[in-house]
Amino acid sequence: MKNLIQKYNIPGPRYTSYPTVPFWDKEGIALEDWKKTVKKSFFESNDIEGISLYIHLPFCESLCTFCACHKKITKRHEVEQPYIETVLKEWDLYCDLFEERPKIREIHLGGGTPTFFSSENLRKLINGIFKRADKFDIFDFSFEGHPNHTSEEQLQTLYDLGSRRNSFGIQDYDPKVQKAIHRVQSFEQVKKVHELSKKIGYESISHDLIFGLPFQTEESIRNTIKNTIALKPDRIAYYSYAHVPWIKGVGQRGFEDSDLPKDSEKRHLYELGKQLFFDNGYVEIGMDHFALPSDSLHKAMEAKKLHRNFMGYTAGKTELMVGLGMSSISDSWYAFAQNEKDVDDYTEKVNAGIIPIFRGHLLTDKDLIIRKHILNLMCNLETEWKIGLDAQIKKEIIERLKPIIDDGLVEVSDERVKVKEEGRMFVRNICMTFDLRLIENKPDTRIFSMTI
Ligand SMILES: C[S@@+](CC[C@H](N)C(=O)[O-])C[C@H]1O[C@@H](n2cnc3c(N)ncnc32)[C@H](O)[C@@H]1O
Ligand code: SF4
């Protein structure tokens, strides 16, 4: 296994989209084309499955030095209100495109730290969204909370607004690791927000952990997982630390590269975590995620209804996902578009009445086919050849898969490609054999984190 890890641990995408962001069309997407695909997707899907909303709330009070998210560090809470007003104006720009009231099936508040915002502002935001929308029959509203900055009032407010699911950033409980990543938070604090969520009635609580952080050891991970399991979250995200200092610049500092666990040590931490989750009744979902069998994510996996998008794995699929807020990415199935990454640029465009995208990609017919295969592999660990690929492309994919087949990680038949249990941790490598954009544009600089 150690040799396989060395062999396959190469830079590669996480496939929250296909094509992946670095291979979007360099020319971008014309705003009119973006609007056209949004309208088409809305028309096709609003009545049948509803739409999803991702709302990016970027502010955090202090910087965690491992963080790869789009965030803005400030303690000035005056930023909240104007930001919410801008997000609602952006929502208006989308609603003006729709011919009927949108039916929202999923809302996710991501960040940054959504619980940076006061209860009052969170209420303004969600009530503002529903001034121009209705709930779909199935409605799933979730948010990310920082345990040090989540109050009972915020939890109650979001519950009253319809949220039944939340996730808390835990990362690691070890004091030395916490100091290095500038993220000091106690087990007691996490226990408090977790138990408050239960008491209020949240149905699914998730904890985010990361392996591969500086100074982590087998013992520290065992302890972090012991604490986590003591609270029995419904879901656990066990992320591989993405060390991307060339993208995040000054953000990822406070420790040296030599403080990070080496490849095989890191993989051992993953294997250890996975075993401890299994021993405690959790089931592995796709990549990075574990859930109790009672959780909706596990039920979706059983029913082969798991979906993957920029939010990670979700239990329901919608064709249209509108991303609001700075840096958010929207997905109309036929195209992707990303909002301006700087709050001022984002605000300026919205105030001028322009949907604030700065780049995007219109999928070709070939992209749409590859997209289906990669989604199938990432969500169901198998895909069928009948999703039409031309014969030459299929032949080349099989050639690229050959070493992975020989290593016993994947099975290829006339009907399908199936990832074997032993190949689960290499699913990103398997997807890379389908990734025509990656193959055609071999990057000459480092743009992705390591696959393992
Ligand atoms: C936007 S953050 C979470 C919300 C909240 N701001 C918090 O920190 O509690 C979402 C999650 O992404 C994960 N994450 C952030 N940077 C990461 C990195 N470099 N590698 C792996 N996971 C990362 C963390 O587990 C984090 O909890
Ligand atoms: S991990 Fe969360 S709180 Fe820390 S900087 Fe990133 S988004 Fe902000």
Side-chain angles (χ1 to χ4, degrees), residues 345-360:
D345 297 340
Y346 163 74
T347 309
E348 200 175 302
K349 275 197 178 165
V350 173
N351 283 340
I354 301 167
I355 290 183
I357 61 170
F358 83 103
R359 64 172 168 180

Side-chain angles (χ1 to χ4, degrees), residues 66 68-69 111-113 144-145 169 171 183 208 210 239-242 252:
F66 65 91
C69 307
T113 303
E144 294 166 15
Q171 328 310 351
R183 170 84 182 216
D208 295 346
I210 304 183
Y239 293 121
S240 166
Y241 171 53
Q252 288 190 326

Side-chain angles (χ1 to χ4, degrees), residues 170-175 178 185-192 194-195 207 209 219-233 236 276-277 280 282:
I170 312 300
Q171 328 310 351
D172 192 291
Y173 284 110
D174 188 78
Q178 289 197 352
Q185 65 190 18
S186 65
F187 175 71
E188 284 64 37
Q189 185 58 30
V190 175
K191 185 164 184 261
K192 187 174 147 204
H194 181 98
E195 288 179 348
H207 286 197
L209 302 178
E219 200 195 330
S220 74
I221 280 281
R222 272 188 194 280
N223 194 45
T224 288
I225 293 180
K226 193 171 117 228
N227 283 342
T228 303
I229 285 174
L231 298 177
K232 262 225 170 300
I236 297 169
L276 293 171
F277 299 138
N280 286 280
Y282 288 85

Side-chain angles (χ1 to χ4, degrees), residues 60 62-64 66-67 69 71 73 111-113 146 171 183:
C60 306
S62 84
L63 176 70
C64 312
F66 65 91
C67 181
C69 307
K71 71 271 174 194
I73 310 299
T113 303
H146 187 317
Q171 328 310 351
R183 170 84 182 216

Side-chain angles (χ1 to χ4, degrees), residues 61-80:
E61 286 204 0
S62 84
L63 176 70
C64 312
T65 53
F66 65 91
C67 181
C69 307
H70 289 291
K71 71 271 174 194
K72 215 170 152 57
I73 310 299
T74 180
K75 288 200 181 349
R76 293 178 49 247
H77 283 261
E78 310 86 273
V79 294
E80 290 180 28

Side-chain angles (χ1 to χ4, degrees), residues 120-142:
E120 190 193 343
N121 282 328
L122 290 167
R123 199 175 304 114
K124 271 192 196 146
L125 171 68
I126 302 301
N127 288 340
I129 295 287
F130 281 105
K131 270 197 189 130
R132 298 205 55 183
D134 300 313
K135 287 182 186 159
F136 189 69
D137 301 347
I138 308 165
F139 178 62
D140 181 14
F141 171 12
S142 55

